[in-house]
Amino acid sequence: MRRILVIGANGMLGRDLVEILRPSFPVVIGWDLDEIDIRQEKETVLKIEDLRPDIVINVAAYTDVDG
């Protein structure tokens, strides 16, 4: 059974991707900033290693263009 982790799952692309993947893959995990902060490299690596997904898809984005 494949475990897929989608990082950025609360964004527009992430929500759509999770919805598209769920019917074909029994375990699709959606994480966003509340679960993981990809700016913190060591913490990110540890959390992903702990989860042990088969596939990681990162669609996280910074959308505050003016910021």
Side-chain angles (χ1 to χ4, degrees), residues 2-6 21 25 27-30 53-57:
R2 294 218 180 247
R3 293 168 51 97
I4 299 176
L5 171 60
V6 177
L21 291 172
F25 297 93
V27 182
V28 178
I29 300 141
D54 297 296
I55 299 169
V56 177
I57 303 171

Side-chain angles (χ1 to χ4, degrees), residues 27-67:
V27 182
V28 178
I29 300 141
W31 281 356
D32 209 278
L33 194 54
D34 289 342
E35 293 82 20
I36 193 166
D37 183 348
I38 62 171
R39 297 172 295 180
Q40 307 300 320
E41 182 181 356
K42 290 180 183 178
E43 194 175 298
T44 296
V45 170
L46 289 173
K47 286 184 175 186
I48 292 172
E49 286 178 345
D50 191 45
L51 184 64
R52 299 177 48 106
D54 297 296
I55 299 169
V56 177
I57 303 171
N58 179 17
V59 295
Y62 183 70
T63 57
D64 182 6
V65 178
D66 294 330

